[in-house]
Amino acid sequence: MTEAILLVGGKGTRLRPLTVHTPKPMVPAAGVPFLTHQLARARAAGVEHIVLATSYLAEVFEPYFGDGSALGLHIEYVTETEPLGTGGAIRNVASRLRSDPDEPVLIFNGDILTGLDIRALVTTHEESGADVSLHLTKVDDPRAYGLVPTDGTGRVQAFLEKPQTPEEIVTDQINAGAYVFRRSVIDTIPAGRPVSVERETFPDLLASGAHLQGMVDSTYWLDLGTPQAFVRGSADLVLGRAPSPAIPGRCGDRLVLPTATVAPDAKLTGGTVVGDDAVIGEGARVDGSTVLAGAVIEPNAVITDSLIGAGARVGARTVLTGAVIGDGADIGPDNELRDGVRVWCGARLPAGAVRFSSDQ
């Protein structure tokens, strides 16, 4: 297995305002665009050729990664003029693949942070003789996911929609977003129209008698689809809980990029990342958060489990918990913003405008 398709065309709607100016895979996690971690892990598993299936803000990818040589890869780019879904995107890039009909092609989604043993998935695929092999993971609460029951040998039995009742929860195994396809199977996906692998391709393959194999790998797995998950994933990379060969520094309690400025008495903990040219003021406390390039955190601000967009400013003594601050936003001093708040790009919040406690 030497080539892969990486699906990076989604709009990242659940991540807005992070994705207003930046496609989801290019939002920085642990100091580099999240996509860098996926590309580096694929390269470490032996992949040499990767086709990026792009759509939303497609023009951002190639200027950053170029031909991939800096990562030891050969990268090609294919842009969808209209969104084609997961299956349609896979079919749309098929002409760029070089594999023979029976050779394996790795395919993975651009928003999953995982410790998956990629080589083990390929080995499972080859030893089982499967047409498609899927990475499955076990979750405590499967109600938010499609279920993938397997038999005693790991062969997939069905693809079930999100369960609505306890009786419908027949397994805790879910589709984890990484696959190995026999190259010839990709050509059976209808071309030129939207296709979902979960709702159409995989069920149709099962119905036709194809062999779909599941491999359960319950190492680290996180869907980075929400701001809270993205912040957590970045922190876990810095803390060493999630593996990646692409972290630009040593794992530890914090990652401060070289051109950032951090006051000597500021406290950075919990996997906090401080991006290029960002400034952390005196007495500030930042825990489990991401501060993107050029952002300014003024003195004595307290920031927890939050993401501060590029060029944003957080005023003195302001308290943020579980907040997302868009690029270029300006949060005045003495505000208090709590879990789930999203401040849009370029917004201005006056001093003391939002509080959950007295101003005295």
Side-chain angles (χ1 to χ4, degrees):
M1 189 266 317
T2 61
E3 65 180 350
I5 299 170
L6 186 47
L7 305 174
V8 293
K11 290 186 175 181
T13 304
R14 292 182 297 158
L15 274 178
R16 289 172 72 86
L18 299 181
T19 51
V20 170
H21 302 125
T22 307
K24 177 167 53 177
M26 295 298 288
V27 176
V32 295
F34 174 67
L35 179 55
T36 310
H37 299 290
Q38 293 185 304
L39 293 172
R41 294 198 71 245
R43 181 68 191 94
V47 173
E48 298 172 357
H49 176 222
I50 291 186
V51 184
L52 296 189
T54 67
S55 180
Y56 176 66
L57 296 176
E59 67 277 6
V60 172
F61 294 93
E62 189 167 1
Y64 188 92
F65 292 106
D67 63 2
S69 57
L71 293 170
L73 292 163
H74 174 57
I75 299 177
E76 293 188 68
Y77 305 84
V78 177
T79 301
E80 303 165 19
T81 55
E82 296 182 3
L84 294 172
T86 48
I90 293 167
R91 181 66 178 85
N92 191 51
V93 307
S95 63
R96 301 293 185 94
L97 299 175
R98 305 164 182 169
S99 301
D100 292 334
D102 284 334
E103 288 185 326
V105 177
L106 175 69
I107 300 170
F108 49 118
N109 291 334
D111 56 0
I112 301 295
L113 177 59
T114 176
L116 168 68
D117 185 337
I118 296 172
R119 291 183 185 272
L121 180 62
V122 176
T123 299
T124 294
H125 177 80
E126 292 174 336
E127 291 181 349
S128 66
D131 297 297
V132 178
S133 297
L134 298 86
H135 171 208
L136 307 179
T137 193
K138 295 178 180 288
V139 294
D140 293 333
D141 184 0
R143 289 176 296 177
Y145 305 95
L147 310 183
V148 187
T150 55
D151 67 13
T153 68
R155 188 159 180 159
V156 174
Q157 301 297 292
F159 290 88
L160 306 175
E161 291 297 323
K162 296 175 183 178
Q164 303 300 312
T165 65
E167 293 74 24
E168 293 177 328
I169 303 176
V170 298
T171 181
D172 58 358
Q173 297 176 176
I174 66 165
N175 176 1
Y179 322 110
V180 177
F181 273 64
R182 188 190 304 272
R183 169 66 185 86
S184 57
V185 173
I186 294 174
D187 290 330
T188 68
I189 300 173
R193 68 170 177 84
V195 180
S196 165
V197 290
E198 300 88 352
R199 296 182 179 87
E200 183 175 346
T201 304
F202 292 156
D204 286 355
L205 285 169
L206 271 188
S208 70
H211 180 175
L212 277 68
Q213 186 74 16
M215 187 193 83
V216 177
D217 182 316
S218 294
T219 54
Y220 186 98
W221 183 87
L222 185 64
D223 177 352
L224 300 185
T226 66
Q228 292 73 26
F230 199 96
V231 171
R232 176 184 155 199
S234 178
D236 284 348
L237 283 162
V238 174
L239 293 167
R241 295 171 180 166
S244 170
I247 297 172
R250 298 172 61 182
C251 291
D253 216 28
R254 66 184 198 172
L255 173 64
V256 179
L257 295 195
T259 58
T261 302
V262 179
D265 64 344
K267 187 175 183 181
L268 309 179
T269 55
T272 285
V273 181
V274 183
D276 285 320
D277 300 317
V279 177
I280 310 295
E282 294 85 356
R285 289 182 286 148
V286 188
D287 179 58
S289 299
T290 295
V291 181
L292 295 185
V296 175
I297 309 302
E298 294 191 342
N300 299 308
V302 179
I303 299 173
T304 305
D305 298 336
S306 298
L307 193 147
I308 313 303
R313 182 180 75 92
V314 176
R317 299 171 301 281
T318 281
V319 177
L320 306 181
T321 303
V324 177
I325 309 302
D327 297 343
D330 190 332
I331 309 301
D334 300 307
N335 281 287
E336 297 175 0
L337 304 180
R338 291 189 176 178
D339 286 336
V341 69
R342 305 186 190 206
V343 178
W344 231 248
C345 299
R348 299 288 184 266
L349 197 61
V354 178
R355 300 192 60 84
F356 287 84
S357 63
S358 170
D359 62 344
Q360 300 297 313

